[in-house]
Amino acid sequence: MDNLYSQTARALKEAMANDGLDPRKILDQLFNRIAAVDSRIKAFVLVNKNAAQVKTGGALSGIPVVVKDNICVKGEDTTCASKILKGFKPPNDATVVRKLKEAGAVLMGKANMDEFAFGSSCETSCYGPTHNPWDLERIPGGSSGGSAAAVAGDEAIMALGSDTGGSIRQPASLCGVVGLKPTYGRVSRYGLIAFASSLDQIGPITKDVTDSAILLGAIAGHDEMDSTSVDIPVPDYTKALVNDVKGLRIGVPKEYFIKGIDRDVQESVKRAIEIYKDLGAVVVDISLPHTEYAVSAYYIIGPAEASSNLARFDGVQYGLRAEDAKDLIDMYIKTRSKGFGNEAKRRILLGTYCLSSGYYDAYYLKAQKVRTRIKEDFEKAFKACDCIATPTTPTPAFKIGEKANDPLSMYLSDIFTIPANLAGLPGISIPCGFSSGNLPIGLQIIAKPFAEETIFRAAYTFEQNTDFHKKRPAL
Amino acid sequence: MRYETVIGLEVHLQLDTQTKAFCGCANRFGSSPNSQTCPVCLGFPGSLPVLNEKAFLHAIKVALALGCKIQDLIKFDRKNYYYPDLPKNYQISQYDMPLSYDGRIDIKVDGKDKLIRIKRVHMEEDAGKLVHPEGASHSLVDYNRAGTPLLEIVTEPDLSSPEEAYEYLTKLKSILGYLKVSDCDMEKGSLRCDANISIRPAGEKTLGTKVEVKNMNSFKNVRQALEHEEKRQAEAVEDKVKIVQETRLWDPDRGVTVSMRSKEEAQDYRYFPEPDLVPFVVDKRVIEDIRSALPELPEARRARFMDEFALPEYDASVLTADIDTAEYFEESARVSGKAKIVANWIMGDMAAMSNARNIGIRELGLSAGSLASIIKMIDSGAISGKIAKEVLNDAIETKKDPEEIVRLKGLTQISDGGQIETAVAAVLAKNEKSVKDYKDGKKNALTFLVGQVMKETKGKANPALVNEILKKKLGE
């Protein structure tokens, strides 16, 4: 088997089982690949050269996995790409990391991200931006940009990201890989450094749908340490990988094909829907009328929760502490001024303001009401369809620096992914085409809560009947 | 002008559970700093809270005992503020939907019954503690206490005097003691009390500007601080000084309250629903099970003691104020069958001894059987009441059996007429003046002579017999 680094986990598992492939070889090739290309992509913030398999015979034995830098790995720097957490070594593994280790996976490193997951471009990282493997002058998307770029650039077999408003699906779309945000509560958040607790969810970023199902199966399930994780059995997701969508009702919401959407994106997604029709799916026109309020509600709820979640970074117990403080308040101010980047500060201010006495009702409470409406929109829509197909992002990857000073336009790049977070629904992004500039385009499929199997069925069928996922960037 | 005082109290109560409110750390007082901590109670990045079911059930128990209604949906909120003893810089608490509300406590002041309404009882987590090493330019934090389950018990502004506040706290502590959910030790900080107090012209309907008073570490402190504050506010009004809404700290050494912060400096806590804990509905059966398993509470017990043991109301009140005393009384009364005498001993000598030692009645270590045997010895005339006090003291000091003490020390009462007559004769011979006084009509000389005979017999003589024999001899 050539180029082990470009293989899927499924293929490597088979080679290990049938051809006696030594898992050490996979790691070695990946490290070589990283040495060759990561100076250009900059997907990694930490490469663990001592990574080792701890268990054989597990679902992921010998398979290297990269995790986003906001997921705690015991004893390894976990910084959320922020100066304020530099040098922080968690005392425990996140539940997903424990599960990966138990499944035999090799934790090979930490992926770059937007600082505290605040961003859609991976540009707010304190380590500098990650570059899109398809065009190094462009952003890989964010916030899980490092995870997506590593998988797209064949520096990783599979990766974990986290998705609060699109942070798995959007970079997966822009990097031409498969990214799944599971149902809220499907995967434990214990050990995920929180951005917005009611929206955050960890999920897989992989080269194909099969690997996505394998990785989700390894990390999903109820966790006593996370009260928001739901206690329902985890199915064998690989059983949902059937090449058949006959009779599957796919909803297409009119609100997702709006002015300002990139022409190539619109055409690729429309073509994808035609492909589904040809494969026997029933395409249904649906409406999600409150979609236009989703971004506004999200930029109140997300920052509100973040302002509280990030309060603990104060220099008292861990991470950065300003040295020259005169007193306690001065230590808080200096530490936080120095430790947080601009976008983090912007969101903390935004969130603090929205929760302040006298503004709470007008902002936070109102946003929660919008959230309820958006949830109801989906509930209503799912009476007429089994899943919903939309573009993942309004445009392909934009240039580094292009939107860095225009936060509002940056926020709009999550316009199609945010509703699923607000409603707690599972959503996937799969490759469905390329722009005229050879940049990947993603198709998003959203399903009912805990209907990941429906998503896998639809996504797998599309993949089996198209070649978009097979294309690799020239590096 | 005459003023009336309006007081509301907020009590914070640490619940006595094996583990903390939202993690598995031991809920223990007095361990070495930061030894009872984990990533959750330290608020480490990525950690999540999980509600301690036991602490929640304790909270429901307290709420039901205080006659509160239980909220249909239980939800937690975050109270955001920065302080180094608060690991996450927010406290998990309950804001707009406290787990229970609308309760009551009945108190009695100056013989009058009064109902104090409980506005709410809610659950939250405690913070750690700052330690300021002497002479150091830094402070240290001990997070052992962080995450300890707390209940906040808030009254309506129904208290009209510092005395009522004192009585309310005493009654509350009594009820909490019966529930066995907390050791209610103000010195250890397991029970803390803040007060809101304002005054207004007598008869006025609108409330005056309230002042919050903190830092009172005993019920007596609360009473003193409120007495001081009541006076300070009245004087301010008389002097036409405006009372400002503020927080004041009680300084027990100087006996005054001192301004800490004004309303303008008050914090905006930016409460919002805690997204890490999912709201849940409590099964009605769980609540009914807790309600039906509630122990007999002080008032019910008092009524029963009056009825069952024919005790006067005063005795029954004193004996039921504290669960240990009530249980000890009941056990001793049953063993000895002499309820009123047992009550006298417990309320008299034993209460004095436990107060002097600053311990509970159980900790005196005198079993109900031992107390009963002392009472039995008095009853049978084996020892005098006076000797009994000595035996009680000895039994508590040496942990020996009272009957054995009497035997070993030869304390058995002398009821043998011959022995007493000999002692009387000796006393009369030595005290001719008193004999003369008595014969001259100074009857209190008899008391002196009885005392002398008791002394001669080392207190063991039967006093009634001594009296009788003395009178007979003096009459000769």
Side-chain angles (χ1 to χ4, degrees):
Chain A
M1 191 183 262
D2 293 331
N3 295 347
L4 295 175
Y5 54 77
S6 64
Q7 303 293 328
T8 62
R10 156 64 65 85
L12 292 170
K13 272 165 60 119
E14 278 171 13
M16 283 186 278
N18 305 332
D19 311 326
L21 169 65
D22 178 359
R24 185 70 229 170
K25 263 186 157 171
I26 308 171
L27 257 189
D28 288 343
Q29 283 206 18
L30 279 169
F31 289 147
N32 288 340
R33 173 73 175 174
I34 290 166
V37 303
D38 203 54
S39 59
R40 285 176 281 157
I41 298 175
K42 297 191 168 72
F44 284 81
V45 299
L46 185 137
V47 177
N48 184 4
K49 290 275 189 188
N50 302 316
Q53 182 185 341
V54 290
K55 193 186 158 204
T56 54
L60 291 169
S61 278
I63 304 294
V65 180
V66 180
V67 301
K68 189 175 176 178
D69 198 32
N70 58 356
I71 297 172
C72 289
V73 178
K74 185 179 176 177
E76 266 182 35
D77 284 19
T78 300
T79 71
C80 290
S82 178
K83 274 194 274 188
I84 209 156
L85 267 177
K86 268 209 170 148
F88 174 64
K89 293 184 201 301
N92 294 104
D93 280 332
T95 298
V96 291
V97 170
R98 175 176 59 75
K99 286 190 161 215
L100 285 180
K101 287 179 176 173
E102 283 167 7
V106 183
L107 277 294
M108 65 173 288
K110 306 298 284 289
N112 199 16
M113 57 186 282
D114 281 292
E115 182 181 10
F116 283 105
F118 299 147
S120 312
S121 67
C122 230
E123 291 169 291
T124 67
S125 165
C126 74
Y127 304 103
T130 294
H131 300 253
N132 191 319
W134 292 89
D135 178 347
L136 295 171
E137 289 180 12
R138 291 178 187 267
I139 56 104
S143 64
S144 312
S147 299
V151 173
D154 284 339
E155 298 180 88
I157 307 301
M158 45 184 20
L160 288 185
S162 69
D163 192 317
T164 308
S167 280
I168 287 174
R169 290 159 291 157
Q170 187 255 18
S173 167
L174 302 190
C175 289
V177 292
V178 175
L180 173 78
K181 180 199 95 74
T183 309
Y184 185 78
R186 178 74 291 186
V187 177
S188 169
R189 292 187 297 114
Y190 192 85
L192 170 68
I193 300 181
F195 158 5
S197 316
S198 74
L199 302 163
D200 295 345
Q201 193 65 191
I202 296 171
I205 296 179
T206 54
K207 293 182 198 204
D208 68 7
V209 176
T210 302
D211 275 13
S212 187
I214 293 171
L215 188 48
L216 179 65
I219 62 171
H222 178 242
D223 178 12
E224 284 184 354
M225 301 292 278
D226 177 4
S227 309
T228 65
S229 72
V230 179
D231 193 4
I232 55 173
V234 179
D236 179 353
Y237 290 116
T238 58
K239 291 218 169 96
L241 302 171
V242 290
N243 183 2
D244 175 19
V245 288
K246 273 186 215 77
L248 186 74
R249 296 172 304 161
I250 299 177
V252 179
K254 60 172 188 245
E255 292 82 3
Y256 281 60
F257 297 87
I258 45 163
K259 241 191 183 168
I261 186 173
D262 180 271
R263 182 183 291 273
D264 292 341
V265 170
Q266 177 149 341
E267 276 174 15
S268 294
V269 172
K270 290 218 155 139
R271 252 198 324 272
I273 291 162
E274 288 306 313
I275 292 171
Y276 272 123
K277 252 188 208 165
D278 294 346
L279 292 168
V282 182
V283 173
V284 192
D285 286 330
I286 59 162
S287 171
L288 298 167
H290 294 90
T291 302
E292 61 172 310
Y293 305 112
V295 174
S296 311
Y298 173 80
Y299 275 96
I300 288 168
I301 294 166
E305 292 182 13
S307 70
S308 173
N309 284 331
L310 268 60
R312 71 191 68 193
F313 305 109
D314 58 2
V316 174
Q317 285 192 76
Y318 41 75
L320 181 78
R321 178 193 287 183
E323 290 297 329
D324 48 347
K326 296 194 299 283
D327 55 27
L328 178 68
I329 300 295
D330 196 40
M331 179 179 94
Y332 286 158
I333 294 172
K334 287 199 167 115
T335 301
R336 290 169 67 83
S337 299
K338 219 166 134 184
F340 288 128
N342 285 340
E343 186 60 26
K345 285 175 190 162
R346 186 177 291 125
R347 300 215 190 181
I348 291 168
L349 283 172
L350 212 56
T352 304
Y353 180 85
C354 293
L355 290 175
S356 295
S357 153
Y359 298 98
Y360 180 88
D361 288 3
Y363 293 101
Y364 187 82
L365 210 59
K366 191 94 173 186
Q368 289 292 12
K369 285 179 184 161
V370 170
R371 188 174 185 175
T372 305
R373 289 298 170 84
I374 286 170
K375 219 180 266 182
E376 289 164 358
D377 278 0
F378 279 109
E379 279 162 14
K380 217 172 133 200
F382 282 127
K383 284 182 181 145
C385 62
D386 304 307
C387 62
I388 294 169
T390 78
T392 308
T393 61
T395 66
F398 46 89
K399 291 216 161 142
I400 292 175
E402 192 181 322
K403 296 185 181 180
N405 296 316
D406 185 1
L408 283 183
S409 123
M410 182 80 88
Y411 294 172
L412 288 175
S413 62
D414 289 332
I415 187 165
F416 299 146
T417 45
I418 282 171
N421 296 84
L422 290 174
L425 304 174
I428 203 168
S429 178
I430 53 171
C432 75
F434 287 86
S435 71
S436 50
N438 198 35
L439 294 170
I441 291 166
L443 172 74
Q444 174 175 237
I445 299 164
I446 300 168
K448 292 177 212 176
F450 299 98
E452 279 82 358
E453 288 162 292
T454 307
I455 287 180
F456 284 134
R457 177 185 164 200
Y460 181 77
T461 303
F462 187 83
E463 197 177 77
Q464 289 298 302
N465 292 280
T466 56
D467 285 332
F468 304 114
H469 67 290
K470 289 183 182 155
K471 253 181 105 174
R472 282 280 158 269
L475 279 163
Chain B
M1 200 190 292
R2 274 201 334 108
Y3 297 99
E4 56 186 41
T5 304
V6 179
I7 298 168
L9 294 179
E10 278 180 29
V11 165
H12 284 91
L13 180 77
Q14 282 184 347
L15 293 175
D16 204 353
T17 49
Q18 290 287 309
T19 56
K20 292 184 178 181
F22 299 109
C23 66
C25 286
N27 177 18
R28 197 182 300 146
F29 179 78
S31 308
S32 66
N34 297 308
S35 61
Q36 311 297 319
T37 57
C38 74
V40 177
C41 57
L42 289 175
F44 262 46
S47 67
L48 296 170
V50 176
L51 178 62
N52 177 344
E53 193 183 349
K54 188 82 190 184
F56 176 71
L57 296 178
H58 271 5
I60 296 289
K61 191 172 168 186
V62 172
L64 292 175
L66 298 180
C68 290
K69 296 179 182 125
I70 307 295
Q71 199 80 247
D72 287 335
L73 184 71
I74 305 295
K75 149 188 172 263
F76 289 88
D77 299 280
R78 289 188 185 175
K79 178 178 180 178
N80 294 284
Y81 66 95
Y82 280 80
Y83 206 63
D85 67 4
L86 191 64
K88 303 181 292 291
N89 284 326
Y90 62 79
Q91 178 193 31
I92 302 177
S93 180
Q94 296 189 296
Y95 181 52
D96 54 341
M97 288 167 62
L99 70 86
S100 64
Y101 55 97
D102 285 357
R104 64 184 286 166
I105 282 187
D106 298 283
I107 61 168
K108 192 170 225 172
V109 177
D110 298 334
K112 267 189 263 169
D113 291 317
K114 184 161 181 187
L115 157 69
I116 308 301
R117 290 170 300 158
I118 306 284
K119 186 178 182 185
R120 56 188 284 159
V121 176
H122 78 247
M123 215 184 140
E124 56 189 30
E125 58 177 341
D126 210 344
K129 260 185 193 159
L130 287 193
V131 181
H132 308 287
E134 209 161 315
S137 61
H138 61 267
S139 298
L140 299 170
V141 201
D142 176 5
Y143 291 109
N144 282 350
R145 201 179 70 175
T148 297
L150 282 185
L151 279 192
E152 185 174 317
I153 303 167
V154 185
T155 71
E156 294 288 358
D158 287 352
L159 300 151
S160 354
S161 70
E163 190 56 30
E164 286 184 15
Y166 184 85
E167 282 305 318
Y168 164 81
L169 289 171
T170 306
K171 190 68 182 284
L172 175 64
K173 183 175 170 177
S174 167
I175 294 170
L176 295 171
Y178 273 64
L179 299 175
K180 303 196 169 162
V181 292
S182 171
D183 68 4
C184 299
D185 187 337
M186 268 189 112
E187 276 171 31
K188 272 161 61 183
S190 53
L191 190 151
R192 309 193 277 272
C193 177
D194 300 333
N196 283 303
I197 175 169
S198 63
I199 60 162
R200 62 184 170 192
E204 174 73 50
K205 284 279 163 266
T206 52
L207 289 167
T209 305
K210 69 174 177 184
V211 166
E212 188 185 27
V213 186
K214 288 178 175 282
N215 196 41
M216 301 166 290
N217 57 12
S218 69
F219 291 176
K220 279 187 188 135
N221 265 200
V222 172
R223 186 166 53 193
Q224 284 168 5
L226 292 175
E227 281 166 356
H228 164 81
E229 191 54 28
E230 190 176 49
K231 200 163 145 250
R232 185 191 72 82
Q233 292 187 15
E235 281 168 7
V237 173
E238 293 293 332
D239 295 346
K240 308 251 184 295
V241 177
K242 198 168 174 271
I243 293 167
V244 289
Q245 191 172 338
E246 61 180 348
T247 301
R248 298 179 71 87
L249 292 185
W250 169 245
D251 179 342
D253 297 329
R254 295 198 291 142
V256 295
T257 61
V258 183
S259 181
M260 182 172 104
R261 60 169 178 249
S262 73
K263 193 195 173 200
E264 283 68 38
E265 297 162 68
Q267 309 243 22
D268 177 357
Y269 292 118
R270 305 191 310 281
Y271 283 99
F272 76 103
E274 164 59 286
D276 289 330
L277 293 167
V278 183
F280 63 96
V281 176
V282 197
D283 192 333
K284 290 271 184 291
R285 277 173 309 182
V286 171
I287 295 173
E288 289 319 308
D289 285 353
I290 297 174
R291 196 194 302 278
S292 57
L294 280 179
E296 182 184 37
L297 293 173
E299 257 161 64
R301 199 158 201 159
R302 187 188 64 194
R304 184 167 62 79
F305 278 9
M306 289 168 66
D307 187 45
E308 195 175 332
F309 298 110
L311 291 180
E313 184 178 356
Y314 174 79
D315 291 30
S317 296
V318 172
L319 291 170
T320 54
D322 159 66
I323 178 77
D324 282 342
T325 308
E327 286 178 348
Y328 183 74
F329 163 78
E330 187 157 2
E331 196 185 336
S332 305
R334 289 196 195 290
V335 176
S336 78
K338 306 269 178 193
K340 178 59 183 144
I341 297 170
V342 167
N344 291 346
W345 279 99
I346 292 175
M347 290 160 58
D349 287 65
M350 292 186 75
M353 289 175 82
S354 64
N355 287 341
R357 289 167 172 78
N358 199 20
I359 54 172
I361 197 136
R362 286 271 184 206
E363 290 158 279
L364 288 174
L366 185 75
S367 72
S370 294
L371 178 59
S373 91
I374 293 174
I375 291 168
K376 198 174 154 204
M377 285 190 283
I378 304 170
D379 223 37
S380 69
I383 56 172
S384 66
K386 193 162 173 243
I387 289 290
K389 287 173 190 279
E390 189 185 328
V391 174
L392 177 85
N393 204 52
D394 258 30
I396 286 167
E397 291 293 343
T398 64
K399 310 283 173 230
K400 279 189 189 133
D401 175 61
E403 283 180 35
E404 199 184 333
I405 291 168
V406 169
R407 207 182 60 238
L408 288 176
K409 294 180 91 175
L411 296 176
T412 310
Q413 181 163 269
I414 303 166
S415 297
D416 170 20
Q419 269 190 59
I420 294 174
E421 273 185 33
T422 311
V424 167
V427 167
L428 293 182
K430 272 188 262 175
N431 296 283
E432 282 173 17
K433 187 171 180 297
S434 299
V435 173
K436 190 172 173 293
D437 285 349
Y438 180 78
K439 288 186 172 165
D440 288 348
K442 290 185 182 164
K443 295 298 170 198
N444 57 358
L446 182 66
T447 316
F448 172 76
L449 290 168
V450 169
Q452 291 303 305
V453 175
M454 294 309 286
K455 204 171 162 188
E456 184 76 19
T457 59
K458 299 200 174 71
K460 292 186 287 180
N462 181 329
L465 224 49
V466 171
N467 241 311
E468 191 188 313
I469 292 171
L470 254 179
K471 276 187 184 162
K472 201 174 83 191
K473 293 279 177 197
L474 287 167
E476 279 170 3

